[in-house]
Amino acid sequence: MESTSAQNIMVIGIAGGTGSGKTTITRRLMQQFGEQVSVIYHDNYYKAHHDLSYEERSRLNYDHPDAFDTDLLIRDLKTLKSGHPIQCPVYDYTIHDRSNQTLTIQPAPVIILEGILIFVSKELRDLIDIKLFVDTDADVRILRRIQRDVKERGRSLDSVINQYLTTVKPMHEAFVEPSKRFADLIIPEGGQNEVALQMVIGRVQSHLNQQQKEQ
């Protein structure tokens, strides 16, 4: 990959509730632009809790801003924007804890930051050039979450429903939904919204074209 100077890096933040369709948009942008895009997931920055038992970790509130090591994410994003690679932590959902592995993420002309709470911190928001909020009905989101957590993360149906009612839904109403006001563009129905998606793709392509002119 060609070296990327800091002034040529554009950061796109994709926020929205659980199961709203954030990852679908991220994947479409990755498919469209390939190595010109690097992706960071806020979920990988959940705080490590090696000192707690599995039962204790499973009872933590993972939908509150305090569950994330956002300070580390901010430092890593600044490092990427300065043109240097990072060692991103990796979170293991099956054990409710950060793994011992890291993932090398290279700087790229476009960096996508995805997560439910990335607009809550002003310091983090200020590093994001384009803020997208994916807005999808709650009933659709809970069904997608059940399907994802049971199939991909080894959770029981009862545990997913209990977590949704006790933490996910109240935290969405307290933190995620209010952060929508910071968005530059609100996208109803996420990755199914082809018109909005093409607008975003066009904006990214314009940025890349401008970058090529300056080289």
Side-chain angles (χ1 to χ4, degrees):
M1 188 185 298
E2 297 180 1
S3 61
T4 304
S5 60
Q7 64 267 30
N8 286 332
I9 292 178
M10 178 172 73
V11 179
I12 300 175
I14 304 179
T18 179
S20 58
K22 301 182 296 299
T23 302
T24 302
I25 293 176
T26 298
R27 285 176 183 153
R28 284 289 298 274
L29 293 174
M30 291 169 67
Q31 291 167 359
Q32 184 79 22
F33 298 108
E35 286 193 354
Q36 296 177 102
V37 171
S38 287
V39 181
I40 309 178
Y41 297 98
H42 199 187
D43 281 6
N44 273 329
Y45 288 81
Y46 276 125
K47 291 175 180 174
H49 291 288
H50 304 322
D51 55 322
L52 301 179
S53 68
Y54 175 85
E55 288 72 23
E56 289 171 322
R57 293 196 301 268
S58 67
R59 290 195 294 268
L60 294 174
N61 181 351
Y62 290 96
D63 292 84
H64 190 284
D66 290 345
F68 296 88
D69 190 349
T70 299
D71 289 341
L72 175 60
L73 172 58
I74 288 168
R75 291 197 298 272
D76 280 355
L77 188 54
K78 286 179 177 178
T79 298
L80 282 173
K81 290 190 76 168
S82 69
H84 302 285
I86 63 166
Q87 293 300 314
C88 175
V90 175
Y91 190 77
D92 187 342
Y93 294 97
T94 61
I95 61 171
H96 297 287
D97 206 355
R98 187 179 292 182
S99 76
N100 295 321
Q101 299 177 324
T102 59
L103 179 67
T104 302
I105 297 179
Q106 300 289 344
V110 177
I111 296 171
I112 297 174
L113 174 60
E114 181 191 314
I116 64 172
L117 294 167
I118 58 172
F119 297 161
V120 173
S121 163
K122 184 182 185 301
E123 188 177 0
L124 184 55
R125 284 200 310 273
D126 288 346
L127 295 172
I128 302 172
D129 301 297
I130 299 176
K131 293 179 283 294
L132 309 176
F133 189 96
V134 184
D135 203 14
T136 302
D137 288 345
D139 55 350
V140 175
R141 290 191 292 103
I142 178 57
L143 289 172
R144 287 177 179 168
R145 174 148 185 150
I146 289 171
Q147 188 174 38
R148 180 197 68 191
D149 284 6
V150 172
K151 283 188 176 180
E152 299 176 18
R153 299 181 179 175
R155 306 284 167 78
S156 69
L157 178 60
D158 287 346
S159 72
V160 176
I161 293 173
N162 181 64
Q163 186 182 32
Y164 182 82
L165 293 175
T166 57
T167 60
V168 178
K169 186 174 186 290
M171 293 302 101
H172 179 89
E173 293 168 352
F175 297 105
V176 182
E177 189 69 23
S179 76
K180 183 164 65 174
R181 70 183 187 275
F182 299 115
D184 300 307
L185 179 66
I186 295 171
I187 303 177
E189 305 309 323
Q192 311 305 316
N193 190 326
E194 197 63 33
V195 173
L197 197 54
Q198 290 304 319
M199 289 173 63
V200 175
I201 287 172
R203 178 65 185 86
V204 173
Q205 188 62 61
S206 175
H207 167 75
L208 295 174
N209 292 344
Q210 184 63 33
Q211 184 190 56
Q212 287 177 346
K213 288 179 183 178
E214 293 172 358
Q215 288 177 348

